Amino acid sequence: MADKWFETVAEAQRRAKKRLPKSVYGALVAGSERGLTLEDNITAYSELGFAPHVAGLAQSRDLTTKVMGQEISFPVLISPTGVQAVHPGGEVAMGAAAAARGTAMGLSSFASMPMEDVVAANPQTFFQIYWIGTRDQISERVERARAAGAVGLIATLDWSFSHGRDWGSPTIPETVDLRAMVRFAPEALAHPSWLLSFARTGRWPDLTTPNMVPKGQTGPTFFGAYGEWMGTPPPSWDDVAWLREQWGGTFMLKGVTRVDDAKRAVDAGVSAISVSNHGGNNLDGTPATIRALPAVAAAVGDQIDVLLDGGIRRGGDAVKALALGAKAVMIGRASLWGLAANGQAGVENVLDIMRSGIESALLGLGHASIHDLSPDDLVIPEGFARHLG
């Protein structure tokens, strides 16, 4: 419907904030401590300018690319984000939207829907895994992903269990049971359209993690899985190499911001890395990923695919990342705002916004292909980049 359409990701966020209960919206905003990294991830893009041409511009533009062995229609992928119960369609709707727009989906271990259902909605699904539990337990999850048809594995290791937020953390129940319904009834009743969308399906938001266990078993709650994660010793580089060998196919290491870590990842045999700081939800004070990208891309971009995750809110942001060495970008909150605002159609809307912005920037910069982008297309202020490690 026409009134469901939105023209920017900012408008999608406004609609999501209006539609969702306060605690649910707060969980999507997240961040940590003072929110320095959360803010820098977004505002750093405004420090970069474009250097456009005025004549001799390309009549058509090629946005297609190949990332981690997958041909996609434009260089924007869905980043894995946990428990997408902001809409009844959840991860299946997210995956279907990505498939409808010709791109790939990252599916979190903490997703609220089984991986088999998501892969059925989008055959270009990468399964994301945390280092949780024993090697045997991790291997079981790897084999389930293989059997489900996942086209690659994403290992996310950048987490330091920072819990405090200066603005306060949202209250999220362990499970949506009768007690939780009574407690959160005032919030839910204040957002009737969100409540009604779940009521029509006959089920309430699912806060369990079905992909943490063998197929068909009942998964732990999100907080139960998180607690197990906290109790698992962090992985070594030998563990990273072991996990890559267990999978045996396309393998991304997500959360890299340092050059030395990027080089170690190459030595461990990864196919790709994502320059990511977990959306500013992790160690506060980490630089924006767009600042860390150039040094990482220069160091290993000729050996593996380098992607960027963090702060992308428009197609122009994606173009800036590509010009600084990224093969593609991944979006998390932007796609969640779309899902919350209008389900699968809302995610498709967000992806259309991204595509349109990329097309517009390419036209202005005079390029016929995203592969022609370079730092020469940007106005980069002195001291913008951060060389870590």
Side-chain angles (χ1 to χ4, degrees):
M1 294 177 60
D3 63 346
K4 297 281 189 178
W5 179 85
F6 44 84
E7 61 181 324
T8 65
V9 171
E11 176 59 23
Q13 181 175 355
R14 285 190 287 270
R15 295 188 188 187
K17 184 176 183 179
K18 183 178 180 180
R19 180 179 175 83
L20 296 174
K22 182 179 179 180
S23 58
V24 179
Y25 177 77
L28 295 190
V29 173
S32 69
E33 299 184 6
R34 290 179 62 189
L36 297 174
T37 300
L38 177 65
E39 181 179 4
D40 195 34
N41 265 359
I42 299 170
T43 59
Y45 288 96
S46 66
E47 298 178 27
L48 296 170
F50 287 120
H53 293 281
V54 295
L57 307 181
Q59 292 186 352
S60 62
R61 288 154 295 284
D62 180 15
L63 274 58
T64 61
T65 191
K66 186 175 184 178
V67 180
M68 295 184 286
Q70 297 298 305
E71 301 281 354
I72 55 177
S73 66
F74 68 121
V76 179
L77 296 81
I78 301 294
S79 187
T81 55
V83 192
Q84 295 178 12
V86 298
H87 184 276
E91 291 85 1
V92 169
M94 187 75 80
R101 294 301 183 262
T103 193
M105 159 90 169
L107 178 67
S108 173
S109 284
F110 289 169
S112 62
M113 293 183 168
M115 63 178 78
E116 291 80 9
D117 295 348
V118 179
V119 173
N122 189 337
Q124 291 182 297
T125 295
F126 297 92
F127 181 62
Q128 179 270 340
I129 195 166
Y130 293 110
W131 190 264
I132 300 176
T134 65
R135 279 192 172 190
D136 286 345
Q137 291 173 311
I138 293 168
S139 184
E140 285 181 355
R141 293 194 286 276
V142 167
E143 292 309 314
R144 181 179 171 187
R146 193 192 316 279
V151 294
L153 199 69
I154 299 173
T156 302
L157 304 183
D158 62 323
W159 197 249
S160 56
F161 302 101
S162 176
H163 299 121
R165 299 178 178 93
D166 286 358
W167 54 94
S169 295
T171 302
I172 303 295
E174 179 85 8
T175 59
V176 182
D177 54 16
L178 182 59
R179 182 178 180 181
M181 289 181 185
V182 171
R183 181 181 180 186
F184 288 90
E187 268 195 50
L189 291 172
H191 297 81
S193 61
W194 177 82
L195 184 64
L196 187 59
S197 68
F198 279 95
R200 288 195 185 104
T201 68
R203 56 186 178 83
W204 301 110
D206 189 350
L207 303 183
T208 61
T209 55
N211 299 311
M212 289 293 295
V213 293
K215 181 181 178 181
Q217 294 187 16
T218 301
T221 65
F222 171 83
F223 291 109
Y226 190 85
E228 186 179 359
W229 189 13
M230 292 181 69
T232 302
S236 66
W237 282 107
D238 286 342
D239 290 323
V240 174
W242 171 84
L243 182 56
R244 195 272 306 165
E245 290 170 2
Q246 289 294 304
W247 176 248
T250 301
F251 183 94
M252 169 191 276
L253 184 62
K254 188 173 183 289
V256 177
T257 57
R258 295 173 57 106
V259 170
D260 51 359
D261 281 349
K263 292 178 177 178
R264 292 290 296 272
V266 171
D267 291 341
V270 308
S271 313
I273 58 173
S274 176
V275 178
S276 170
N277 54 33
H278 223 108
N281 294 337
N282 191 25
L283 185 62
D284 198 32
T286 303
T289 52
I290 191 67
R291 300 188 193 277
L293 171 66
V296 172
V300 301
D302 61 341
Q303 301 172 73
I304 59 173
D305 287 349
V306 175
L307 287 80
L308 176 136
D309 191 337
I312 300 290
R313 296 294 184 271
R314 62 196 78 246
D317 295 341
V319 168
K320 290 173 182 178
L322 268 59
L324 292 179
K327 189 78 173 289
V329 301
M330 305 179 81
I331 58 171
R333 286 188 184 87
S335 59
L336 288 171
W337 302 140
L339 181 67
N342 194 26
Q344 178 180 335
V347 180
E348 292 174 3
N349 196 158
V350 166
L351 291 171
D352 289 343
I353 290 168
M354 294 291 168
R355 176 188 285 276
S356 175
I358 295 171
E359 284 260 15
S360 178
L362 274 186
L363 174 61
L365 294 171
H367 291 311
S369 169
I370 56 172
H371 303 288
D372 298 331
L373 291 163
S374 76
D376 291 339
D377 295 308
L378 304 181
V379 179
I380 307 171
E382 185 177 353
F384 173 80
R386 302 288 187 272
H387 188 296
L388 307 184

